Amino acid sequence: MTVNIALPRFAQIGAGSVDDLGSVITQLNIQRPLLVTDRFLTETGQAERLVKTMHAAGADVAVFSETVPDPTAASLTAGVELARTHNADGVIGFGGGSPMDTAKALAVLSATGQSITSYKAPSSYSGPALPIIAVPTTAGSGSEATQFTVITDSDTDEKMLCPGLSFLPIAIVVDYELTVSMPGRLTADTGVDALTHAIEAYVSRRASRFTDALALAAMTSISRHLRRAYADGADREAREAMMLASTQAGMAFSNSSVALVHGMSRPIGGHFHVAHGLSNAMLLPSVTKFSIDSAVERYADCARAMGVVAPATEDRHAADALVAELEQLCVDVEVPTPRAYGIDQAEWDARLEIMAVQALASGSPNNNPRIPTQQEIVELYREIY
């Protein structure tokens, strides 16, 4: 079987690598970059650190710091205008998943003049776009290594998955020291997000030997280090391991695709403004349990990679143990249910059908070992509430 693999052209990885950003843009001949970030990173001076290293390299930098959590189509307008007035020749995404998604969208829209709705799945865009450099500050989304962006339709609250090679960063700077200050809640949510990426990449119907290796490596590392990073944010060994695992998981799912957890997660975020990593964590144990019978061996492999069972453990027992471990992990890092998060049950129930429709429309559930019906998705939503 022939598989198509798409990865960033090159990467700078390790402590202090963020200070190499100036040399990265020089290598790429980017002279007028647009730095896309958020207010927190601007107010804490971290964005200025990147600006200074790029100025030292001779670049003329513009900064767009108005990204919002779960970016919407409307939130992109000002960024597109700034990219054009600055005559940007490259876009740098600096932050967590939301600045990354915004940067990717701006790279395409500033080159094409189209609406982001033109690029939602099942279309796949590989046309004109500004080059993207990704500098992640969280260990979870893996967006620095993926050919996807997720933007919410401002009119319908649909979280649109927009895929294609033009959304893939050409270079990444992965510096785990940027994650040391992450609070516990963000550490947990993004960490379980990365684990979800690895597991779904491995059980996806589009998995390959290439993506399997990355996914299993990420699972092993996350299982050893997520609880440590959550308990002690200053644990540098755990932070470094989680950062690398997040990038590995991103490379894996970008080339094998995610599955049902992500398909169901995006509508939760779109309708109830739950952070993407947290909505994945809410879903992961129940969706895994739903799916296991269709891929017992694959889920058993996940359990073994995570050290949940001994290597010689029989597949069925290992797969069942994986579900128990995911349930316990969510307890240990205090993942709330939608009810505990504060979502009103009447509002939740009223949106189940449209969320199920949107989940299926994303295409991700079709990669799941067990492909659900719309009604089965509704029941899973009810179960996790």
Side-chain angles (χ1 to χ4, degrees):
M1 179 180 70
T2 299
V3 295
N4 294 319
I5 303 297
L7 301 169
R9 191 181 303 169
F10 70 93
Q12 300 278 103
I13 299 176
S17 59
V18 69
D19 293 320
D20 296 329
L21 181 59
S23 65
V24 171
I25 65 169
T26 298
Q27 291 178 67
L28 297 172
N29 197 31
I30 294 174
Q31 300 173 336
R32 300 183 62 82
L34 174 66
L35 179 65
V36 179
T37 186
D38 57 34
R39 289 185 181 180
F40 174 78
L41 292 171
T42 301
E43 292 170 356
T44 57
Q46 295 188 64
E48 182 61 22
R49 179 182 177 185
L50 272 65
V51 170
K52 286 181 178 179
T53 188
M54 289 188 286
H55 278 167
D60 181 3
V61 186
V63 178
F64 179 69
S65 61
E66 303 304 309
T67 63
V68 298
D70 297 318
T72 64
S75 75
L76 302 175
T77 303
V80 171
E81 181 62 26
L82 179 57
R84 289 177 176 165
T85 58
H86 182 60
N87 195 26
D89 59 359
V91 178
I92 299 163
F94 177 51
S98 294
M100 293 288 185
D101 283 340
T102 300
K104 292 177 175 186
L106 295 184
V108 169
L109 300 187
S110 62
T112 67
Q114 299 296 311
S115 165
I116 192 64
T117 56
S118 304
Y119 303 103
K120 72 176 184 177
S123 69
S124 181
Y125 181 69
S126 58
L130 296 179
I132 304 163
I133 300 172
V135 187
T137 61
T138 63
S141 76
S143 185
E144 68 273 10
T146 75
Q147 51 187 315
F148 309 112
T149 189
V150 179
I151 304 294
T152 299
D153 187 317
S154 303
D155 297 324
T156 66
D157 286 334
E158 177 188 0
K159 266 198 169 185
M160 300 177 292
L161 175 66
C162 303
L165 290 175
S166 296
F167 295 107
L168 178 68
I170 62 171
I172 61 177
V173 178
V174 182
D175 187 339
Y176 77 87
E177 290 185 330
L178 295 172
T179 71
V180 172
S181 61
M182 286 170 59
R185 181 72 268 142
L186 184 59
T187 297
D189 296 345
T190 56
V192 179
D193 189 20
L195 180 60
T196 304
H197 293 153
I199 291 174
E200 291 211 302
Y202 190 76
V203 302
S204 168
R205 290 170 177 260
R206 295 173 57 189
S208 68
R209 290 185 178 181
F210 181 89
T211 58
D212 285 352
L214 289 165
L216 291 170
M219 281 181 246
T220 298
S221 191
I222 293 167
S223 65
R224 293 175 179 171
H225 297 100
L226 175 53
R227 288 179 174 91
R228 283 174 52 181
Y230 178 69
D232 179 9
D235 185 333
R236 293 171 66 86
E237 181 182 31
R239 289 295 196 188
E240 183 174 19
M242 287 298 301
M243 192 66 154
L244 180 58
S246 173
T247 299
Q248 290 172 321
M251 290 178 174
F253 88 80
S254 181
N255 289 285
S256 68
S257 191
V258 287
L260 180 56
V261 174
H262 277 72
M264 292 181 63
S265 173
R266 295 186 199 99
I268 295 175
H271 289 276
F272 297 103
H273 308 292
V274 178
H276 173 69
L278 178 54
S279 56
N280 275 345
M282 291 173 173
L283 287 157
L284 181 58
S286 291
V287 170
T288 301
K289 185 176 181 180
F290 169 84
S291 307
I292 270 182
D293 285 345
S294 296
V296 174
E297 291 182 6
R298 301 292 280 184
Y299 284 109
D301 288 343
C302 296
R304 296 185 188 102
M306 292 171 61
V308 176
V309 295
T313 303
E314 181 268 332
D315 284 349
R316 181 77 241 184
H317 177 72
D320 290 340
L322 174 65
V323 175
E325 164 62 10
L326 296 178
E327 291 171 343
Q328 187 60 51
L329 175 63
C330 287
V331 170
D332 292 346
V333 299
E334 303 177 273
V335 175
T337 62
R339 181 196 293 273
Y341 186 75
I343 298 174
D344 178 75
Q345 184 168 6
E347 290 189 27
W348 180 263
D349 289 344
R351 302 196 184 205
L352 295 184
E353 294 292 343
I354 185 60
M355 288 200 300
V357 169
Q358 290 173 347
L360 286 171
S362 74
S364 298
N366 289 331
N367 301 316
N368 205 58
R370 177 180 174 184
I371 299 176
T373 64
Q374 181 175 322
Q375 189 56 40
E376 285 172 330
I377 292 177
V378 168
E379 291 306 315
L380 282 167
Y381 279 135
R382 287 200 176 103
E383 180 181 320
I384 70 158
Y385 182 80

